[in-house]
Amino acid sequence: MLLILLTIGSFVMILPLIWMLSTSFDWSARLEIGFPPRFWPEDPSLKNYKAAFTNVPMLKYIFNSLVVSAGVIGVSVMSALLSGYALSKIRFRGSNLVLVLALSTIMIPFEMTMIPQFLLFSKINLIDSYWAFYLPALNYAFGTFLAKAFIDQLPSGLREAGVIDGANEFTVFGKIYFPICTPIVATLVILLFLGVWNDLLWPLLVLKSASKFTIQLGLAMFTYNNGINRFPSIIMAATIVSLVPVIFVYLFLQRYIIESIALSGIKQ
């Protein structure tokens, strides 16, 4: 019974993606999407994808998104791992309070902080710059929580042995703990990549130059300027292209998520 329910749920979840994929190959749907929806293209063609790359600088937008994602992931992962290691293995007064204060920031909705952040970056002339993405990434409280939960399961004796041999904390972290943190690193990479790649609101606020647009912002501007009702199948084709990196990253790293959950004891 459970298997049947899971199968039905999976089918319901994947059905819109199948419809979107079918529409992206249907040249007859370039001006109007038929109703009821078709799950097989009436006029199969690659013209929609050609039109998408002709009308939208897809490769430029994808490259911009990769640059933003790589920077945010690098900053956030290192920040989360270093802070998680410090809270887990370095005993200092007030560590629990630091963790509570860090986690309390998660309860503040982004909609409440985006205007102050925008005004701050505007004052220091970082609007229309990728630094507006990299600097906020230094505070990744959820990643710190995940990293601490994972590192808590690793033996403290490793650190003690390193300190006895004369290694400082950065050496202990970099040469002993970091190499065995691959599962949690992969988990953080996937979570961050999905969030940054699909983000629209913050890029819409801080990016002004079309040459710096991320993929989601570029698609939104194309849709707004041309109207989704005029070129629905072209929009679908462009959206499918934008999903390819996300699917690739998830499929490549998904096994590490299961491993990190199992080792850290986090329940979902």
Side-chain angles (χ1 to χ4, degrees):
M1 183 62 181
L2 179 60
L3 181 60
I4 295 175
L5 291 176
L6 291 175
T7 302
I8 295 174
S10 301
F11 180 75
V12 171
M13 295 295 292
I14 202 173
L15 197 61
L17 181 61
I18 296 175
W19 171 76
M20 184 170 68
L21 185 63
S22 171
T23 304
S24 70
F25 285 102
D26 192 351
W27 181 242
S28 65
R30 68 189 184 279
L31 299 179
E32 181 180 358
I33 297 178
F35 186 85
R38 296 190 299 267
F39 294 98
W40 185 259
E42 183 177 304
D43 183 15
S45 174
L46 293 175
K47 293 180 180 178
N48 289 325
Y49 287 88
K50 182 179 179 180
F53 278 93
T54 301
N55 291 278
V56 182
M58 295 288 295
L59 295 179
K60 178 64 175 176
Y61 292 157
I62 290 175
F63 176 78
N64 292 343
S65 289
L66 290 175
V67 170
V68 173
S69 299
V72 171
I73 289 172
V75 172
S76 294
V77 168
M78 289 309 301
S79 172
L81 288 177
L82 287 170
S83 55
Y85 168 77
L87 292 170
S88 175
K89 299 304 180 185
I90 304 176
R91 302 299 179 184
F92 60 92
R93 183 176 298 177
S95 59
N96 291 332
L97 178 61
V98 171
L99 180 61
V100 170
L101 292 176
L103 293 177
S104 65
T105 62
I106 301 177
M107 296 183 289
I108 303 175
F110 172 70
E111 289 76 11
M112 293 184 61
T113 61
M114 63 179 183
I115 299 302
Q117 283 190 48
F118 175 82
L119 295 176
L120 173 63
F121 288 128
S122 179
K123 288 289 185 181
I124 59 179
N125 297 320
L126 290 182
I127 295 299
D128 201 27
S129 167
Y130 291 155
W131 285 105
F133 297 91
Y134 302 153
L135 293 181
L138 286 168
N139 176 31
Y140 186 35
F142 184 66
T144 298
F145 169 72
L146 291 181
K148 179 185 181 300
F150 182 87
I151 297 174
D152 280 342
Q153 310 302 314
L154 303 179
S156 298
L158 295 175
R159 173 179 176 271
E160 295 171 0
V163 172
I164 291 174
D165 288 340
N168 58 37
E169 293 294 349
F170 285 102
T171 302
V172 171
F173 169 77
K175 294 188 176 181
I176 299 177
Y177 282 95
F178 183 76
I180 56 180
C181 285
T182 302
I184 194 62
V185 169
T187 301
L188 295 176
V189 167
I190 291 177
L191 295 176
L192 287 165
F193 186 77
L194 291 176
V196 175
W197 190 270
N198 294 321
D199 190 19
L200 173 63
L201 182 56
W202 187 239
L204 182 63
L205 288 176
V206 299
L207 295 180
K208 307 300 180 184
S209 303
S211 60
K212 297 180 180 179
F213 281 179
T214 59
I215 183 65
Q216 302 302 333
L217 183 56
L219 292 180
M221 291 297 100
F222 174 75
T223 303
Y224 175 78
N225 293 330
N226 295 279
I228 192 170
N229 292 327
R230 291 181 57 190
F231 306 106
S233 62
I234 298 176
I235 293 293
M236 295 297 181
T239 304
I240 289 293
V241 172
S242 73
L243 289 176
V244 171
V246 177
I247 296 173
F248 175 79
V249 170
Y250 179 77
L251 292 178
F252 181 71
L253 298 177
Q254 64 173 336
R255 67 186 182 93
Y256 293 108
I257 289 186
I258 300 174
E259 184 179 347
S260 67
I261 292 174
L263 292 177
S264 62
I266 299 173
K267 304 295 184 181
Q268 285 191 340

